Amino acid sequence: MAIQEDNLFKNVISHSKEYGFIFPSSEIYDGLSAVYDYGQNGAELKNNIKEYWWKFMTLLHDNIVGIDAAIFMHPTTWKASGHVDAFNDPMVDNKDSKKRYRADVLVEDAIAKMEEKIQKEVDKAAKRFGDSFDSEMFIKTNPRVLEYSQKIANANARLKESMGNGDMAGMKKLMEDLEITDPVSGTKNWTDVRQFNLMFSTEMGSIAEEANKIYLRPETAQGIFVNFLNVQKTGRMKLPFGIAQIGKAFRNEIVARQFIFRMREFEQMEMQFFVKPGEEMKWYEFWKEKRMKWHKALDLGDENYRYHDHLNLAHYANAACDIQFNFPMGFKELEGIHSRTDFDLKSHEKYSGKKLQYFDTEDNESYIPYVVETSVGLDRMFLSILSKAYTEEKLPDGSERVVLKIPVPLAPVKVAILPLVKKDGLPEKAMEIMNELKYDLRCFYEEKDAIGKRYRRQDAIGTPYCVTVDHQTLTDDTVTIRDRDSMKQERVKISDVKSQLIAACSINNILRKIEQ
């Protein structure tokens, strides 16, 4: 059953809370803006996504190892990384709606609307001319499309210049020239654009006068960079090699909306891949392809992914792109792949006074490696899976069900054990099966309500298999295994249940697809 995109997002948010995936943080105190807690099913799904990423990085690549660095770091770390001076977003307020926005996002949205207009012109012409239509020639020659293209190129160039130079007056002028209106009030009554640093700060020290100002890390990458030599030497790593990490990061976002898509406390899965200078673009392309394969192996629909190259590069990068996903609110960044050059290690070497160089035994020389980064938001991965898994189905008998078609190896609960009735020895037999399976699979036992209602509850949390114990079980030691997606039931010997379910639920089923 097709669902309108805005309704889908609302339904996913509502479903997340009702079935124990995500709760507003501190809800009994009316919540805390853009902060969320993961419930019992959400925590399981989140851990399974982590496992999928961690195994891909550290098991499938013998030159990648993982670490877990501290959230608190020496404050000079953030001076060296550029975050103290350059980790700013351009902030603007609308005087009528009193709403606050990121000015660069408003500009990017305006550019995206012009790109949509071009696509509409192309689609209209394609319908008019049919099979003989040459889209490339049309884009190069159609006056209206050329006008839009020129405006887009001009806006992108001015955006890049304003962001690069910290020219907030230029950003305001660009907003005015693009005639950007507030989506809430519909007016163009904007304040001046100001820089806003995104780092949270706190103090470390038992006595206030002796306290040092420190920061909650805005990214996990710097913990990898400062440990580069520790890992390289203790692991006897040779270039190229990678260091992976999963951890919390914190950003005081100007506009933290769209549920868990943009939060102030979030989790990243990052890998920094250290390479010989001059080889970074080869590895940049390698990791673009590898990471896209990792995403597509989840079978959420290849059409829901696309690359988006950065026009406005960060101060440390010589190439960057996003893997975008088609969220309920449109295509947005899911993962970033960046060629960070030697900026980070060189800067830490300068500020720390410690050499952070790699000795290349083959070339008999020391140098600072270049870095290719892959960084995916764990919370965004969670949202991408949940939003595509959420399905409202009308069944042949006229009834309806809501089912989460989560990839089987990532499902919070893998199997529900359900005695048909709460008597005649069926619960005892069901518990025997439960006690055999629980060491290998996340199980759920339930004996209350009619079996149909119990199936629906398991569908709603995405449980891929239900094992039903009935009276026939007591005579021939067989049970039925119900498949979540097809709802088909198969009679299986109890002795075969464990091996069959473990094989079906293994995360290796997805990992092997990537290598094919």
Side-chain angles (χ1 to χ4, degrees):
M1 184 187 298
I3 312 170
Q4 291 289 335
E5 292 299 301
D6 55 346
N7 289 335
L8 170 62
F9 204 16
K10 290 173 185 173
N11 292 348
V12 167
I13 294 169
S14 173
H15 193 89
S16 294
K17 184 182 177 190
E18 185 178 355
Y19 287 95
F21 284 88
I22 300 171
F23 308 129
S25 180
S26 318
E27 188 178 18
I28 62 171
Y29 295 104
D30 298 324
L32 186 62
S33 175
V35 184
Y36 291 90
D37 299 331
Y38 285 81
Q40 66 277 21
N41 290 319
E44 291 294 334
L45 175 54
K46 203 176 185 189
N47 285 336
N48 293 340
I49 297 169
K50 288 182 191 179
E51 183 186 4
Y52 175 45
W53 184 87
W54 191 261
K55 282 189 170 180
F56 167 76
M57 286 296 179
T58 64
L59 294 188
L60 301 194
H61 303 94
D62 58 9
N63 60 346
I64 297 177
V65 296
I67 67 167
D68 184 6
I71 289 171
F72 292 138
M73 301 182 74
H74 192 285
T76 308
T77 302
W78 306 111
K79 186 73 176 171
S81 68
H83 284 84
V84 170
D85 298 318
F87 194 53
N88 303 302
D89 276 344
M91 177 174 68
V92 67
D93 298 307
N94 184 269
K95 295 175 184 176
D96 299 316
S97 70
K98 312 300 181 189
K99 295 289 184 182
R100 178 165 289 174
Y101 302 90
R102 274 178 54 179
D104 59 323
V105 171
L106 290 174
V107 171
E108 287 170 355
D109 287 346
I111 292 170
K113 285 176 184 175
M114 287 190 278
E115 290 171 341
E116 287 171 10
K117 287 179 180 177
I118 290 177
Q119 190 57 50
K120 283 180 182 176
E121 293 292 334
V122 172
D123 292 343
K124 276 197 300 185
K127 280 183 183 177
R128 195 162 64 244
F129 296 110
D131 294 338
S132 63
F133 180 64
D134 184 338
S135 62
E136 283 189 26
M137 183 61 68
F138 179 80
I139 289 169
K140 288 178 183 175
T141 57
N142 181 268
R144 191 172 293 177
V145 169
L146 287 172
E147 184 183 344
Y148 285 137
S149 297
Q150 184 58 47
K151 283 183 179 178
I152 290 169
N154 179 261
N156 274 319
R158 289 175 63 185
L159 175 62
K160 183 175 183 178
E161 184 179 2
S162 296
M163 292 293 284
N165 299 334
D167 180 7
M168 297 300 99
M171 182 73 76
K172 174 79 179 292
K173 183 70 168 62
L174 177 55
M175 286 180 61
E176 290 169 350
D177 291 347
L178 290 173
E179 299 183 338
I180 292 173
T181 57
D182 175 26
V184 176
S185 67
T187 70
K188 304 171 193 170
N189 193 10
W190 299 106
T191 64
D192 289 338
V193 182
R194 300 93 77 200
Q195 290 278 30
F196 180 77
N197 193 283
L198 302 179
M199 283 198 294
F200 286 104
S201 64
T202 185
E203 293 179 339
M204 181 176 281
S206 56
I207 303 172
E209 289 77 14
E210 297 174 3
N212 286 317
K213 184 176 183 180
I214 62 169
Y215 301 95
L216 295 180
R217 66 183 181 194
E219 65 176 25
T220 57
Q222 300 306 320
I224 293 175
F225 294 131
V226 299
N227 279 298
F228 161 69
L229 273 189
N230 286 336
V231 173
Q232 190 269 316
K233 288 179 176 176
T234 58
R236 303 176 69 213
M237 310 295 289
K238 291 187 175 181
L239 289 185
F241 73 90
I243 303 176
Q245 179 174 208
I246 300 174
K248 287 284 184 84
F250 307 84
R251 295 181 184 179
N252 192 12
E253 295 281 1
I254 296 169
V255 184
R257 294 176 191 153
Q258 297 177 318
F259 195 32
I260 60 170
F261 180 81
R262 191 180 301 282
M263 299 192 292
R264 295 189 168 95
E265 175 186 339
F266 57 97
E267 209 156 351
Q268 290 180 304
M269 303 185 291
E270 291 197 332
M271 191 276 296
Q272 307 297 328
F273 198 70
F274 300 90
V275 303
K276 188 174 182 178
E279 296 184 357
E280 69 274 9
M281 293 313 296
K282 174 183 77 174
W283 289 108
Y284 172 72
E285 294 298 332
F286 172 87
W287 283 111
K288 274 178 67 174
E289 182 185 347
K290 272 282 185 183
R291 293 305 301 147
M292 184 64 90
K293 279 187 176 179
W294 182 87
H295 286 288
K296 288 184 175 180
L298 290 174
D299 288 333
L300 301 181
D302 288 5
E303 71 281 2
N304 290 313
Y305 299 92
R306 71 184 187 191
Y307 292 115
H308 175 72
D309 290 324
H310 284 211
L311 292 170
N312 304 306
L313 294 177
H315 60 278
Y316 52 73
N318 64 355
C321 81
D322 296 335
I323 292 175
Q324 293 186 333
F325 183 79
N326 189 16
F327 290 97
M329 57 282 192
F331 275 96
K332 301 280 185 182
E333 179 190 355
L334 178 59
E335 174 161 6
I337 295 119
H338 312 111
S339 175
R340 296 182 73 120
T341 69
D342 60 355
F343 170 84
D344 298 278
L345 291 179
K346 186 182 280 185
S347 189
H348 286 304
E349 187 177 81
K350 173 186 170 185
Y351 277 84
S352 69
K354 310 286 196 315
K355 283 187 77 171
L356 294 175
Q357 300 192 6
Y358 172 80
F359 180 71
D360 191 324
T361 53
E362 290 183 12
D363 294 343
N364 198 32
E365 63 172 333
S366 292
Y367 51 78
I368 296 175
Y370 272 43
V371 178
V372 176
E373 170 186 72
T374 74
S375 177
V376 57
L378 175 55
D379 308 277
R380 291 185 182 187
M381 271 300 300
F382 189 104
L383 182 58
S384 71
I385 291 166
L386 208 61
S387 59
K388 290 306 171 194
Y390 182 89
T391 310
E392 295 177 3
E393 287 185 344
K394 192 153 192 169
L395 305 178
D397 65 0
S399 64
E400 295 181 359
R401 72 166 181 162
V402 173
V403 55
L404 292 185
K405 296 187 177 182
I406 298 168
V408 171
L410 303 186
V413 176
K414 300 297 190 291
V415 55
I417 317 295
L418 311 173
L420 188 62
V421 292
K422 193 181 174 182
K423 60 182 181 179
D424 302 335
L426 300 188
E428 290 79 5
K429 193 67 176 177
M431 283 306 300
E432 282 181 31
I433 297 169
M434 168 89 169
N435 289 331
E436 180 61 27
L437 293 179
K438 69 183 181 183
Y439 295 98
D440 299 287
L441 299 165
R442 174 69 61 178
C443 299
F444 185 88
Y445 177 86
E446 189 174 34
E447 55 187 33
K448 185 185 175 185
D449 289 333
I451 194 71
K453 279 190 176 180
R454 285 182 275 168
Y455 284 156
R456 289 291 172 270
R457 283 200 288 267
Q458 295 306 311
D459 290 342
I461 65 170
T463 305
Y465 302 107
C466 289
V467 171
T468 304
V469 177
D470 55 21
H471 291 95
Q472 186 179 333
T473 306
L474 303 179
T475 61
D476 64 5
D477 265 351
T478 65
V479 293
T480 61
I481 298 181
R482 174 188 180 268
D483 181 270
R484 175 194 67 198
D485 298 340
S486 68
M487 294 186 291
K488 290 180 180 176
Q489 299 189 30
E490 178 189 5
R491 201 89 203 170
V492 178
K493 288 184 178 180
I494 290 177
S495 57
D496 295 334
V497 168
K498 182 176 177 180
S499 59
Q500 186 170 321
L501 290 178
I502 288 174
C505 296
S506 173
I507 211 158
N508 293 341
N509 294 336
I510 318 179
L511 290 170
R512 289 184 191 281
K513 284 187 197 174
I514 304 167
E515 298 297 293
Q516 290 172 359

